[in-house]
Amino acid sequence: MENFRIILQKVNLKVTNARLGVLELFARSQKPIDAEEIFAYLQKEGVDADRATVYRMLETFYEKGIIDRFEFQEGKFRYELAGSDHHHLICEQCGRIEDISDCGINVLEREIKEKKGFLVKRHALEFFGVCESCQQ
Amino acid sequence: MENFRIILQKVNLKVTNARLGVLELFARSQKPIDAEEIFAYLQKEGVDADRATVYRMLETFYEKGIIDRFEFQEGKFRYELAGSDHHHLICEQCGRIEDISDCGINVLEREIKEKKGFLVKRHALEFFGVCESCQQ
DNA sequence: AACATATATGCAACTGAGTTGCAATTAGCA
DNA sequence: TGCTAATTGCAACTCAGTTGCATATATGTT
């Protein structure tokens, strides 16, 4: 997966093992992951990066727009590769996280600008509830 | 404001000075507040409650449905008196928090149930951007 | 009013997530 | 190969929140 190098070079970040490893994990992951999961993954892969390095990496990636950041009422952040405007269904019983795509909120954002003068840069929309299989 | 007593009694919570103080602060506050602000307020008012008490109180109130809980990408929770379905405009420059009322997302929730089988219990919707006065 | 008791609180120690300063290392360019 | 800014490791720290346990107190009952 050599395109990870390109992603990093595009935003003027040096290519390191730790960074490649983290990007690889992000590409594999189907749902938003947290710093601890990343740290554990790197250890397992023998990359051994310090926790501080992981946190600094996440901050850098976030600032550069490589990843998105979310909060699911857990008292910590989760991240995933930046991409389309999509949101999450978080099952409060099994913790499963499902995606839903574009929510038609752009209309609302335009309204907010007109009525309140507030310029929306981004929004967070998460749904908490019970997934299908937990309802049985 | 003796109706704070009634609020507490309704949900089988004992009436204490700390709890009355916190409810008073909530009633005064125009925007969601965090644990530290509550702790400082109580000290100022001479109620002196421990931080642990404040956190336990917030948890209890949240469980009982007296207050709502939010996250604004700050790495901590904010709370306000439970009420109508409304959301927030958070200015990333001055930190001002404005409310917007019902967002018409109930329609979307019904769709989610039909298409995904996921039962939405609650949702979080926050807009981050720049408020009118910070745009000048 | 006094009592019993479940509830609430204070204290202190702890956890988990994330941050910071600083010295050592390394990627990328000349 | 050597230079230099960017990156990392280490260790100590902060900040938000939690927990165990002993004490205190609000409230229903006598």
Side-chain angles (χ1 to χ4, degrees):
Chain A
M1 285 293 170
E2 286 309 294
N3 56 348
F4 295 147
R5 308 190 96 83
I6 295 161
I7 292 177
L8 291 171
Q9 285 161 0
K10 257 191 206 161
V11 294
N12 295 313
L13 291 179
K14 290 186 175 171
V15 177
T16 68
N17 280 343
R19 282 175 177 170
L20 290 176
V22 170
L23 288 178
E24 211 168 294
L25 176 57
F26 272 121
R28 260 170 228 231
S29 298
Q30 297 301 314
K31 59 168 204 165
I33 51 181
D34 63 45
E36 201 54 33
E37 287 170 315
I38 292 166
F39 180 71
Y41 173 82
L42 290 178
Q43 287 222 313
K44 191 180 54 119
E45 297 290 301
V47 179
D48 93 300
D50 192 79
R51 263 189 192 77
T53 303
V54 172
Y55 280 109
R56 281 190 278 232
M57 220 185 294
L58 289 170
E59 204 190 322
T60 309
F61 286 3
Y62 179 61
E63 279 166 3
K64 298 285 187 178
I66 297 174
I67 55 177
D68 286 334
R69 191 173 67 172
F70 304 94
E71 282 172 305
F72 298 150
Q73 304 255 26
E74 301 170 301
K76 69 184 170 189
F77 292 105
R78 288 186 175 270
Y79 303 84
E80 66 185 1
L81 283 180
S84 59
D85 177 20
H86 76 280
H87 306 285
H88 303 95
L89 306 179
I90 300 112
C91 179
E92 291 178 324
Q93 264 156 66
C94 67
R96 201 160 78 93
I97 299 168
E98 207 177 331
D99 286 359
I100 51 168
S101 51
D102 184 58
C103 51
I105 251 175
N106 305 352
V107 185
L108 201 55
E109 292 186 2
R110 238 169 291 132
E111 248 182 74
I112 289 168
K113 179 79 181 99
E114 278 159 28
K115 287 190 192 157
K116 302 266 189 178
F118 188 98
L119 179 65
V120 176
K121 295 240 170 141
R122 61 206 167 80
H123 65 263
L125 174 57
E126 321 300 343
F127 294 93
F128 300 91
V130 189
C131 75
E132 190 156 35
S133 50
C134 283
Q135 282 173 53
Q136 263 96 69
Chain B
M1 286 293 168
E2 285 308 295
N3 55 347
F4 294 149
R5 307 191 96 82
I6 294 162
I7 293 176
L8 291 170
Q9 284 162 359
K10 256 190 208 162
V11 293
N12 295 314
L13 291 180
K14 290 186 175 171
V15 177
T16 68
N17 279 343
R19 282 174 177 171
L20 289 176
V22 170
L23 288 178
E24 211 168 294
L25 177 57
F26 272 121
R28 259 171 229 228
S29 298
Q30 297 302 314
K31 58 168 203 166
I33 51 181
D34 63 45
E36 200 55 32
E37 288 169 315
I38 292 166
F39 179 71
Y41 173 81
L42 291 178
Q43 288 222 313
K44 192 179 55 114
E45 297 290 301
V47 179
D48 93 299
D50 193 78
R51 262 191 194 75
T53 303
V54 172
Y55 280 108
R56 281 190 277 231
M57 221 185 294
L58 289 170
E59 205 190 321
T60 309
F61 285 4
Y62 179 61
E63 278 167 4
K64 297 286 187 178
I66 297 175
I67 55 178
D68 286 335
R69 191 173 66 172
F70 304 94
E71 283 172 304
F72 297 150
Q73 304 255 27
E74 301 169 302
K76 68 182 171 190
F77 292 106
R78 288 185 175 270
Y79 303 84
E80 65 185 4
L81 282 181
S84 59
D85 177 20
H86 75 280
H87 306 287
H88 303 96
L89 306 178
I90 300 113
C91 178
E92 291 177 323
Q93 264 156 64
C94 67
R96 200 160 78 94
I97 299 169
E98 206 177 329
D99 285 359
I100 50 169
S101 51
D102 185 58
C103 52
I105 252 174
N106 305 353
V107 185
L108 200 54
E109 291 187 2
R110 238 169 291 133
E111 250 182 72
I112 289 168
K113 180 77 180 101
E114 278 159 28
K115 288 190 192 156
K116 302 266 189 178
F118 188 98
L119 178 66
V120 176
K121 295 242 172 140
R122 62 206 167 80
H123 65 264
L125 174 56
E126 322 300 341
F127 294 95
F128 300 91
V130 189
C131 75
E132 190 156 35
S133 50
C134 283
Q135 282 173 55
Q136 263 96 70

